[in-house]
Amino acid sequence: MSKILVTNATIVTMNKNRDIFKGDILIEDNKIARIAKNIEAKADKVIDARDKVVIPGLIQTHIHLTQTLFRGQADDMELLEWLRKKVWPLEAAHTAESNRISAELGIAELIKGGTTSIIDMGTVNHTEEIFKAVYKSGFRAIMGKCMMDYESNGKNALMEDTQKSILESVKLLKKWHMKDNGRIQYAFAPRFVISCSEKLLLETKRLSKEYDVMIHTHASENQSEIRIVQEDRGMRNIVYLDKLGLTGENLILAHCIWLDEEEMKIIANTGTKVAHCPNSNLKLASGIAKIPELLAMNANISLAADGAPCNNNLDMFSEMRTAALIQKGRLLDPTVMPAEKVFELATIGGAKAMRMEDKLGSIEEGKLADIVVIDLNSVHCIPTDEENTISKLVYSARATDVETTIINGKIVMEKRELTTLNESEIRNEANRIIKKQVDKAMRYKL
Ligand code: GUN
Ligand code: FE
């Protein structure tokens, strides 16, 4: 049995009482075995966390690892033009190798910023490379192949055959779902209504029930998108998903900005999950989701960065800060989205979204050992008085303050050095391959 002892930490537990105290954490294999003021135990590894803060691993519930390589390639555009002219041709140009490099680059950035779990959208081709990168890196993910068998415009660079999309998805599910004791789980990933036929959506629903896996899609992010859904399917987007029977606790919807009152009720009443991506929503000028209103209706909200070309970082600290600030500005009310609530969305909210709240999201005995050591002794976080730790984490801390990241009881970054991925190799490969990918993508433009 492998044992890691973290000592003298300020532990932000996120347990029911939201206890924060100085103490030790004993990790045995992939679980948190004990938490106490002082633990006397022999361990294979001791991490001295004196003057450091230990938090539950951050959970981002909507990521496109496949797009990390395209950072900076598609700035200052609105969603549909951004997708059709840039992102889809770039994804279509992926080879197995470039997709692997993109995924590894994204996972490296996420681990270095204290994110330990994601829900990922995959891409249409070569998604297995993303599974392999997640597996090799020790990262935790719920993910699947992106499905796109329809285009209201007629054609796009990524369109695929319905049956092929379904068969490939099921093949990946059978190979990867519950791999490494559930560290990797499958989710069906129909991209969004306007790129999916009704047949595909219905089949996805049936299969997700058959295999008890989640469905991950984008919904009501952009005004043009919901207009196309209305013209094409004759009703509002969320009403349509509800009518097809997709809504429920197994469905996670990224964005949910353009909802009417009825749609907000559908989401809250069915237990459908929302992945809020504030920086992406601002950069693509999509709008601002009504998160405080959805929270007041008891909707399950979590946070995420979306993808590198619409953000342009995968930094949960930045998402937390923006999630708080935009609502205060929108509602002219500084009391909405307080730091404690935002930090809850980044931890417990994400665990609930993953259907893993009994295993993740807080530092408690018996839970999986996904924990992050942060050094708040940087000038932008000082003074480090203990009472204001959550304020520091949400409003002041940065990804670079993360010192050590542990996932499933394994140290994947120690003192900012990645242990499962070769950072310098990833940097070199990404820089080497990007020009070739962009040139190739130009040929996929439709
Ligand atoms: N909607 C459909 N595909 C995408 C995507 O790749 N990114 C974002 N932000 N929205 C989408
Ligand atoms: Fe997205």
Side-chain angles (χ1 to χ4, degrees), residues 343-381:
F343 197 69
E344 191 180 296
L345 303 187
T347 52
I348 310 271
K352 281 190 187 146
M354 294 177 78
R355 310 189 302 177
M356 292 183 78
E357 64 266 36
D358 56 335
K359 298 192 181 79
L360 291 178
S362 60
I363 301 180
E364 293 181 85
E365 290 176 2
K367 280 202 165 183
L368 292 168
D370 287 14
I371 68 170
V372 171
V373 182
I374 302 180
D375 184 358
L376 294 183
N377 284 307
S378 38
V379 280
H380 57 269
C381 291

Side-chain angles (χ1 to χ4, degrees), residues 1-13:
M1 184 190 288
S2 95
K3 291 190 186 188
I4 302 173
L5 184 62
V6 183
T7 59
N8 297 308
T10 297
I11 307 169
V12 177
T13 63

